[in-house]
Amino acid sequence: MPTDRIRKIIQSVLKETSATSQGGASFSPGAGEQYATPRAFNKNKNAKGAATKYYYKLGYKPVPDKIKGSGLEVKQLFEVEPVNEMNNFQQERIAAFDDIETRLNAIYPLVSNAKNETVEYYNEHPGSYDIFKSTEMILDYLKNIETLLTSTK
């Protein structure tokens, strides 16, 4: 049997239905991939919407990006402060060093006076082993301060 005759017999027995028009809608594809709605995607990516959209015809308007007078303040999360401006924390930390320098300068005469008073005390009490001013404690504090200032993170 020739193939044309077999094909005619099968077509007469079976009724073929189109896969693209089963729901009653007709769509005839051309070459390549196509969409049933040619205006489904706007080529202009910056467009806010087309005036031909149905909801515009009903009177709806798009929501504005910023509503004036709403009383809401929007702050971006992870907002970076400008690098060239120092914030309050940094200013306070730098000002603390000025205070440290002032206090250290005020300590010099106190150390000199304490030395003179200790010399006078030991001159008055030649065999004494009393501690008049605690030099060990002062030296420990100074070593700790030096360690803090020379350590790196």
Side-chain angles (χ1 to χ4, degrees):
M1 265 174 119
T3 57
D4 291 335
R5 188 170 175 201
I6 295 173
R7 187 174 291 142
K8 287 181 184 178
I9 293 172
I10 292 173
Q11 286 178 354
S12 66
V13 174
L14 298 174
K15 292 185 178 179
E16 185 178 348
T17 58
S18 175
T20 58
S21 65
Q22 288 183 359
S26 64
F27 173 68
S28 56
E33 296 179 3
Q34 295 182 0
Y35 298 102
T37 55
R39 294 188 188 113
F41 302 102
N42 191 352
K43 292 180 183 178
N44 183 3
K45 300 300 180 192
N46 296 325
K48 296 280 183 178
T52 59
K53 301 256 180 180
Y54 189 68
Y55 54 87
Y56 286 114
K57 291 179 183 178
L58 291 174
Y60 290 101
K61 296 177 183 176
V63 177
D65 292 336
K66 190 172 184 180
I67 301 173
K68 294 181 180 178
S70 67
L72 297 176
E73 292 182 14
V74 179
K75 181 172 181 168
Q76 296 292 328
L77 294 178
F78 310 111
E79 189 173 300
V80 180
E81 293 182 8
V83 178
N84 58 358
E85 295 180 14
M86 291 189 289
N87 58 24
N88 290 337
F89 174 77
Q90 292 171 343
Q91 290 175 350
E92 289 172 5
R93 300 294 295 173
I94 293 171
F97 282 106
D98 294 333
D99 186 36
I100 292 170
E101 287 177 338
T102 303
R103 288 179 178 218
L104 285 175
N105 290 333
I107 288 176
Y108 288 124
L110 295 176
V111 171
S112 179
N113 291 341
K115 179 182 175 184
N116 293 337
E117 290 173 3
T118 304
V119 169
E120 286 178 16
Y121 180 80
Y122 286 141
N123 286 337
E124 292 174 4
H125 305 89
S128 175
Y129 290 98
D130 292 338
I131 297 174
F132 187 69
K133 300 284 184 177
S134 178
T135 56
E136 288 84 10
M137 185 183 297
I138 294 170
L139 287 173
D140 284 341
Y141 284 145
L142 289 174
K143 286 178 186 175
N144 290 338
I145 290 170
E146 288 173 347
T147 304
L148 285 172
L149 293 175
T150 57
S151 68
T152 58
K153 287 189 174 186

